[in-house]
């Protein structure tokens, strides 16, 4: 049995979509970011970074995995799905996963912060993070030319990217004029496991002025959470 500790955010979706794709039983523990559950001592024992998501594999001596990319790799390898096992195929998927973890995630996360939440609007920071996110999206656009998915087949690289690119609008980054990315967003977004995964632990409502957003913004302004 896998225990999943998560909240409704793009990094959380990576783990919940993956578990839904695998169709394996898991126990859900909803973490309230606004209440600071992710900073509590018991949680820090399984995730020293104090963020979500985290999994604990009860069938492997309570092995805990933090960092969403590491969770995807662990689950893909444990269950032999959504990542090839040959060295080149595996490397291709990991390259695109790293591109998400080191590029799209951090840049888009900062674009969210400066565009949506920062108490002071700093044009240089907004422009810097939005244009870097957009540049990375254009790299994805090129990779998706003539391909259904980022690598040969649907993989954890698609799960990691879709979780963020699907909410690019929240960072103020346009995707509609990128035809390959738009097609891929739709194809991946139609997968039943993706639709289920983004409802875990509850649907995320990103709507200007919406209650959820207000709660998130308040908590970010108080320095309680990031991205
Ligand atoms: N690199 C980490 C980032 C995790 C992360 O930033 N999670 C955010 C939600 S998307 C979080 O837990 N924020 C709460 C906080 O900063 O306290 C990963 O990929 O797992």
């Amino acid at each position: 049995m896998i225990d999943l500790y998560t909240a409704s955010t793009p990094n959380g979706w990576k783990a919940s979509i993956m578990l839904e794709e695998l169709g394996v039983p898991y126990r859900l523990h909803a973490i309230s970011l606004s209440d600071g559950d992710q900073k509590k001592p018991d949680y820090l024992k399984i995730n020293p970074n104090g963020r979500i998501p985290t999994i604990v594999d009860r069938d492997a001596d309570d092995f805990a995995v933090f960092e969403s990319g590491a969770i995807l790799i662990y689950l893909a390898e444990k269950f032999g799905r959504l990542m090839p096992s040959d060295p080149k195929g595996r490397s291709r998927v990991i390259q695109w996963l790293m591109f998400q973890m080191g590029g799209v995630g951090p840049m888009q996360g900062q674009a969210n912060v400066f565009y949506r939440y920062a108490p002071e609007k700093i044009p240089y920071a907004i422009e810097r993070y939005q244009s870097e996110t957009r540049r990375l999206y254009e790299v994805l656009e090129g990779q998706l030319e003539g391909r259904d998915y980022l690598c040969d087949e649907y993989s954890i690289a698609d799960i990691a990217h879709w979780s963020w690119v699907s909410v690019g609008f929240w960072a103020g980054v346009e995707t509609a004029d990128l035809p390959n990315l738009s097609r891929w967003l739709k194809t991946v977004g139609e997968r039943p496991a993706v639709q289920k995964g983004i409802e875990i632990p509850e649907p995320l409502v990103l709507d200007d002025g919406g209650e959820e957003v207000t709660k998130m913004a308040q908590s970010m302004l108080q320095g309680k959470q990031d991205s």
Side-chain angles (χ1 to χ4, degrees), residues 9-12 14 33 38-39 47 49-53 66-69 71 101 164 223-227:
T9 77
N11 285 324
K14 293 179 202 167
L33 298 181
Q38 74 280 20
K39 310 292 182 206
N47 187 327
N49 194 29
R51 294 193 165 194
I52 62 93
F66 76 107
E67 281 294 319
S68 56
I71 291 172
M101 293 296 296
W164 279 82
K224 281 198 197 149
Q225 72 176 80
D226 202 354
S227 311

